Amino acid sequence: MPWTAVSLSLSCLALAFAPETWLSLLEYDRGEIARGQWWRLWSAHLAHFSTAHAAANAVTFLALGALAERQAGTRDFVRMLALGAPIIGIGLWIASPELATYRGLSALAWSAATLAFLAHWPMPAYQSLGALALGALVLAKLVMDAASGAAGSAFLPDGVRPEAGAHLLGVLATLGIGLCQRSLHGSARGQTASPR
Amino acid sequence: MNRTALLLLLVAALLLGGCASAFPRREVRQSASVVDYLYPRAESPPQAEQGIVTLRPPVRVGIAFVPSPPRAGGLPEPEKARLLDRLKASFQQHDFIGRIDVIPSAYLQPQGGFANLQQTARMFDVDVVALVSHDQVRFNDSNSLAVLYWTIVGAYIIHGDEYDVHTLVDVSVFDVASRRLLFRAPGSSQVKGSASLANYGERTRAAQAEGYSKAVEQVIPRLESELGNFKARVRTDTGLRVENRAGYRGGGSADGIALVLALAATLAIPALRRGR
């Protein structure tokens, strides 16, 4: 059972019914983060703007997270969440200086999808070409959405802009973590192999 | 010519003159042109604005009727407000549009130009203004039954007068800062009918209002389609740039592709479990 994905999805749904004062303590708030409330870089992903917003993200994360946890293992999945969440927050800080507040689990859902993709790598040659092409298409769509800023969402209430850049950051964060992990893993293997 | 004959001639002339003035003019026009408003007196020929349009969603929109020149007639203000409310609903369906304000005609000066438009936009705090221009012509004709008006009773029951009302309504959406026309949506209508001399004025007023209403009905679907096209154009047109408003609220929300991936993952998990 992918407990991490299930518990995070359920937490999001439960928090959707929490009072607004609690949610405002959890959201990404640029001003408050600057004043030292660092936990918001992690907790922002659990807070949502409405129950519809929370439900759509929780269901998506549950499916993609369960697959990633099963494929990559709970340890790698938790590591991805723990490191990916603040990387997304810091990325938003740098890339979107106008963004005052942010909430949503969807960026981590994209991180989970990327982790599930990486867990299959390397693939047999005949599969890797198709997988790379599909990955490139999805990445291009995310880059286009982030660049145009024109993507819409039926789940967000009025006055809240879809932050498509967060999805791209979620993918890039996991790719970065995966590459670092593989190079560290490779160098550790190299060190243990050299004395032989 | 004796005095009695002269008196009879005068009375006849007065009576005939009175009859002639009882019939309305053959053509009555009500119009308010967006070109006359934005480029008053055509001092310099309007040139295409080349600047880049920067939109900061949710875009704040103002809707207003182009002011009519003095003594040009036109729709009463409550009727204008009712039509603008119907147009407002078309804008409300799009997520990139935020607040929408109906701007009363009193805030716009006839031939005010872009200076007046920018002043009003600042006052209402809107980024984009949809200007509704109109041109309505009413043709008045008498038919052969009009001869029965001489029976006096006929003036009340015989439909001896005909009207034909042609209306054109055009919504032009301008970016106030760059002065660029973003898109436009036209609509037209024709209302025909007849009336007796006694209720001609009342009938034609109703027909004119109906003409505006029908033209606006035609504008609404076109406006919605143009708004959709404009949203698609934002992605490709290099003259349009979308920027975020300072201090905006953002949300990470599952989109179509994420949901498809989630569905594929849901289907893949049982298959993987069986494979192990």
Side-chain angles (χ1 to χ4, degrees):
Chain A
M1 186 73 172
W3 287 112
T4 316
V6 171
S7 54
L8 266 177
S9 301
L10 289 177
S11 307
C12 280
L13 281 176
L15 278 170
F17 299 97
E20 183 55 34
T21 45
W22 293 18
L23 294 171
S24 61
L25 280 173
L26 298 176
E27 71 184 4
Y28 167 101
D29 184 319
R30 197 178 167 87
E32 295 301 338
I33 291 169
R35 280 186 276 276
Q37 296 185 359
W38 297 98
W39 72 82
R40 290 174 185 270
L41 293 174
W42 284 268
S43 62
H45 301 278
L46 297 175
H48 287 84
F49 287 104
S50 67
T51 42
H53 182 206
N57 280 359
V59 168
T60 310
F61 181 81
L62 180 63
L64 294 170
L67 181 72
E69 194 170 353
R70 184 170 286 277
Q71 294 300 103
T74 303
R75 203 182 62 175
D76 278 3
F77 183 59
V78 171
R79 184 188 293 141
M80 179 276 290
L81 293 174
L83 295 175
I87 291 174
I88 294 166
I90 292 164
L92 286 175
W93 179 281
I94 297 163
S96 305
E98 315 268 82
L99 178 68
T101 57
Y102 170 84
R103 298 176 189 180
L105 189 63
S106 61
L108 285 180
W110 277 101
S111 293
T114 314
L115 184 65
F117 182 83
L118 289 178
H120 278 286
W121 210 261
M123 293 174 182
Y126 69 94
Q127 284 181 0
S128 59
L129 201 65
L132 272 177
L134 185 69
L137 272 177
V138 172
L139 199 62
K141 202 263 180 197
L142 290 178
V143 170
M144 218 168 76
D145 281 351
S148 69
S153 172
F155 304 113
L156 290 171
D158 288 343
V160 180
R161 293 266 302 130
E163 190 59 38
H167 297 168
L168 182 64
L169 286 167
V171 172
L172 294 178
T174 309
L175 283 175
I177 295 165
L179 281 174
C180 288
Q181 202 176 330
R182 281 193 186 203
S183 62
L184 286 172
H185 196 62
S187 62
R189 266 199 309 203
Q191 278 175 359
T192 51
S194 56
R196 280 184 198 173
Chain B
M1 196 180 285
N2 61 24
R3 275 187 185 180
T4 317
L6 191 67
L7 199 65
L8 278 171
L9 198 67
L10 263 172
V11 169
L14 277 171
L15 279 173
L16 286 172
C19 286
S21 64
F23 290 99
R25 281 178 291 151
R26 291 187 67 80
E27 187 184 309
V28 179
R29 188 178 212 115
Q30 291 182 349
S31 72
S33 155
V34 73
V35 176
D36 287 345
Y37 169 61
L38 292 176
Y39 301 98
R41 295 172 292 279
E43 282 161 349
S44 56
Q47 288 180 354
E49 301 292 339
Q50 297 298 325
I52 289 177
V53 176
T54 305
L55 299 168
R56 293 179 181 85
V59 177
R60 295 176 296 219
V61 180
I63 313 178
F65 261 92
V66 170
S68 308
R71 292 185 294 280
L75 278 171
E77 202 60 30
E79 187 65 22
K80 281 183 181 174
R82 208 174 55 78
L83 292 175
L84 291 178
D85 276 337
R86 284 169 63 192
L87 290 172
K88 184 178 166 178
S90 310
F91 284 94
Q92 272 169 336
Q93 295 165 2
H94 294 268
D95 56 354
F96 60 93
I97 291 179
R99 205 188 69 230
I100 305 157
D101 285 320
V102 169
I103 302 173
S105 302
Y107 286 85
L108 298 173
Q109 291 170 348
Q111 302 194 320
F114 275 107
N116 177 235
L117 186 69
Q118 284 174 328
Q119 209 173 28
T120 311
R122 258 200 309 276
M123 197 185 289
F124 281 82
D125 192 23
V126 293
D127 312 310
V128 160
V129 177
L131 287 173
V132 184
S133 54
H134 59 91
D135 186 15
Q136 187 176 67
V137 184
R138 191 184 83 215
F139 296 101
N140 307 303
D141 294 299
S142 300
N143 59 29
S144 52
L145 295 172
V147 73
L148 296 170
Y149 287 165
W150 296 107
T151 61
I152 307 297
V153 177
Y156 290 89
I157 57 171
I158 301 296
H159 283 206
D161 281 307
E162 290 174 348
Y163 52 80
D164 187 0
V165 182
H166 295 256
T167 311
L168 175 78
V169 171
D170 186 277
V171 179
S172 314
V173 181
F174 285 89
D175 174 52
V176 177
S178 67
R179 300 181 170 195
R180 261 187 67 179
L181 174 68
L182 302 179
F183 57 89
R184 59 178 282 272
S188 61
S189 73
Q190 185 182 12
V191 178
K192 279 180 163 187
S194 62
S196 64
L197 184 64
N199 67 1
Y200 190 74
E202 186 190 334
R203 284 285 181 91
T204 49
R205 273 198 302 278
Q208 282 178 280
E210 190 189 343
Y212 281 115
S213 181
K214 280 186 169 175
V216 166
E217 255 167 48
Q218 230 184 57
V219 167
I220 288 167
R222 287 184 184 168
L223 186 62
E224 281 166 10
S225 151
E226 283 299 323
L227 275 163
N229 292 344
F230 180 73
K231 193 177 174 181
R233 231 177 76 204
V234 165
R235 290 171 184 266
T236 52
D237 193 334
T238 50
L240 299 170
R241 195 168 54 201
V242 176
E243 279 182 5
N244 285 313
R245 203 174 284 281
Y248 75 103
R249 299 164 83 201
S253 179
D255 56 1
I257 290 189
L259 291 171
V260 168
L261 282 178
L263 183 69
T266 313
L267 296 172
I269 291 169
L272 290 167
R273 194 177 289 158
R274 277 197 302 275
R276 283 185 180 182

